Amino acid sequence: MAGTRRRTLRDIAETLNLSVNTVSRALSGKSGIGKETRALVRAEAERIGYVPNSLARSLVLGSSMTLGLVITNPSNPFYAQLISSIELRARAQGYSLLLGVTEESADNEARAVESLLRSSVSGCIVVPVQAGDEHWRRLGAVGVPTVLLNRDLPELGYRFVGTDNELGGYRATSHAISCGARSIVVLEEDLPITTIANRIAGFRRAMAEAGRPVPRGSVISVPTRRSEQAALPWQPEQAYQVSRRMLRRAKLPDAVVVGNDYFALGLYRALAEHGLKVPDDMMVIGFGDYPFSGFLSPPLTTVRLPAEEIGNIAVDLLLEEIAGGGSARPLKQLIAPTLVRRQSTAAVLRTPAAVRRTAR
């Protein structure tokens, strides 16, 4: 309502006949305040509609109490979970979040850094585009602590936390082999980033350890819409088209490991159109464990990513950097993903897929 004055700590203090300092300590959860006094202060703050003045607080503390978060694609379910966990963890420590989206563009990344600098953020959590590190060096040069998330830039020497994607690719492939697959194909997005390269490395390691050959064409790139506009959601269409071409091969794989669960949707449709069943004719393993994955028919075996744990660790690392006390934690932390076993890899009596298709 026009003319309404913003309520202050002094209003609460005068009503309860307390000092402003006591009211402030009660609302911020500081020690030395009795339970009864704390309850009275909070009740009065709620009654009058008191809202903390974050600008005044930042002036007192010498900090904006704002963390920057820069990611590539918020429509990616993994990053959506990360945003949620980071925001909750930061809020619990009294920080707000300033979000920037790069869409895999170095130009957008540069603009995000300019915005962070203008906003005087206390620190920053970043999923880098991996097209250079000059933007992030600027933050370090002016004393803004930065933690890298999921994609590393080793030359910077910044703290890093992310999924162990190499282990994820290894576990997915090893599981397919344990279920009887001899030939395995990988469908992966066509972006030159370490997360994809690491998953493929895990696939190759598992195949080598099992003595399985990796013929040319075993890793198939899916040309997704992210090459044009990375902020759009993943679409199954590109994986569907690539899968249709793969299914024209004379020799089909026993299993396919896909780089994300959306690709599994496209593969499922292509297999159904070719009269092939999962897992009888071809096993499918996803990556991500998105909300729909357990509701596919059959439910999808997939690699679950530790989004919440990574987000929490990233905030804790950043706050330790901001406090300037250092950290006993390793400079680089990789968090293991979890293989979620479902019916898309149920062990069956396996005959080469090409033979099964011809027998129909």
Side-chain angles (χ1 to χ4, degrees):
M1 180 166 41
T4 300
R5 180 176 64 85
R6 182 188 180 104
R7 299 297 187 173
T8 67
L9 292 175
R10 187 171 297 281
D11 294 320
I12 302 172
E14 290 177 352
T15 300
L16 299 178
N17 197 27
L18 298 171
S19 70
V20 172
N21 181 58
T22 298
V23 171
S24 176
R25 293 177 65 83
L27 289 175
S28 61
K30 297 291 180 61
S31 61
I33 305 296
K35 290 183 179 180
E36 183 177 345
T37 300
R38 195 184 306 275
L40 285 171
V41 169
R42 288 178 175 173
E44 179 62 15
E46 184 175 351
R47 186 187 72 78
I48 68 173
Y50 168 75
V51 177
N53 187 328
S54 58
L55 176 59
R57 186 184 181 201
S58 67
L59 290 173
V60 171
L61 297 176
S63 167
S64 68
M65 297 302 293
T66 300
L67 304 181
L69 173 60
V70 180
I71 62 170
T72 57
N73 179 12
S75 69
N76 180 329
F78 173 70
Y79 289 137
Q81 286 182 283
L82 273 177
I83 293 170
S84 178
S85 65
I86 289 171
E87 195 279 329
L88 287 172
R89 194 74 158 196
R91 190 202 315 160
Q93 299 300 319
Y95 286 82
S96 59
L97 209 60
L98 178 63
L99 177 65
V101 177
T102 64
E103 300 181 8
E104 300 290 357
S105 162
D107 290 339
N108 289 344
E109 191 170 75
R111 282 189 283 270
V113 170
E114 290 294 338
S115 177
L116 294 173
L117 290 171
R118 287 195 303 269
S119 302
S120 300
V121 294
S122 301
C124 192
I125 297 171
V126 176
V127 180
V129 172
Q130 292 190 311
D133 60 19
E134 59 274 13
H135 311 314
W136 310 118
R137 288 188 186 278
R138 290 188 62 197
L139 287 180
V142 297
V144 178
T146 302
V147 172
L148 300 177
L149 196 66
N150 220 43
R151 303 179 189 176
D152 198 7
L153 295 170
E155 61 276 13
L156 291 178
Y158 290 169
R159 292 199 172 276
F160 165 81
V161 58
T163 303
D164 191 337
N165 282 286
E166 196 272 347
L167 179 61
Y170 175 83
R171 285 180 172 174
T173 307
S174 296
H175 175 64
I177 292 170
S178 73
C179 290
R182 298 193 60 81
S183 59
I184 303 173
V185 161
V186 173
L187 296 186
E188 264 294 2
E189 194 172 10
D190 61 344
L191 283 178
I193 55 178
T194 54
T195 49
I196 293 173
N198 290 340
R199 285 197 293 267
I200 293 173
F203 157 71
R204 293 187 181 278
R205 177 164 71 93
M207 294 292 279
E209 288 184 4
R212 302 285 197 270
V214 181
R216 184 178 179 181
S218 295
V219 178
I220 302 174
S221 291
V222 180
T224 70
R225 85 301 170 260
R226 279 156 57 90
S227 60
E228 299 175 358
Q229 188 177 357
L232 292 174
W234 267 312
Q235 299 292 337
E237 175 66 24
Q238 292 86 357
Y240 165 68
Q241 296 296 345
V242 168
S243 298
R244 289 183 66 193
R245 292 193 291 272
M246 178 192 70
L247 293 175
R248 297 189 191 110
R249 294 179 177 182
K251 184 177 181 182
L252 299 182
D254 296 319
V256 177
V257 177
V258 299
N260 66 76
D261 290 358
Y262 282 102
F263 288 177
L265 294 175
L267 176 58
Y268 267 44
R269 177 179 173 182
L271 288 168
E273 290 178 355
H274 279 71
L276 299 173
K277 295 183 178 180
V278 179
D280 303 59
D281 297 303
M282 191 177 294
M283 293 184 285
V284 179
I285 303 177
F287 221 91
D289 194 27
Y290 302 150
F292 62 81
S293 303
F295 294 89
L296 294 177
S297 181
L300 180 67
T301 292
T302 185
V303 177
R304 179 179 295 157
L305 305 179
E308 182 178 358
E309 184 177 0
I310 288 173
N312 289 341
I313 291 174
V315 173
D316 292 346
L317 285 173
L318 185 58
L319 295 184
E320 289 171 3
E321 291 282 320
I322 292 170
S327 175
R329 306 172 193 243
L331 184 66
K332 312 292 183 182
Q333 294 186 67
L334 289 176
I335 310 303
T338 303
L339 181 71
V340 181
R341 295 172 175 83
R342 298 192 180 106
Q343 283 70 39
S344 70
T345 55
V348 296
L349 181 62
R350 306 212 64 80
T351 305
V355 173
R356 294 195 298 275
R357 182 177 59 176
T358 304
R360 283 193 168 89

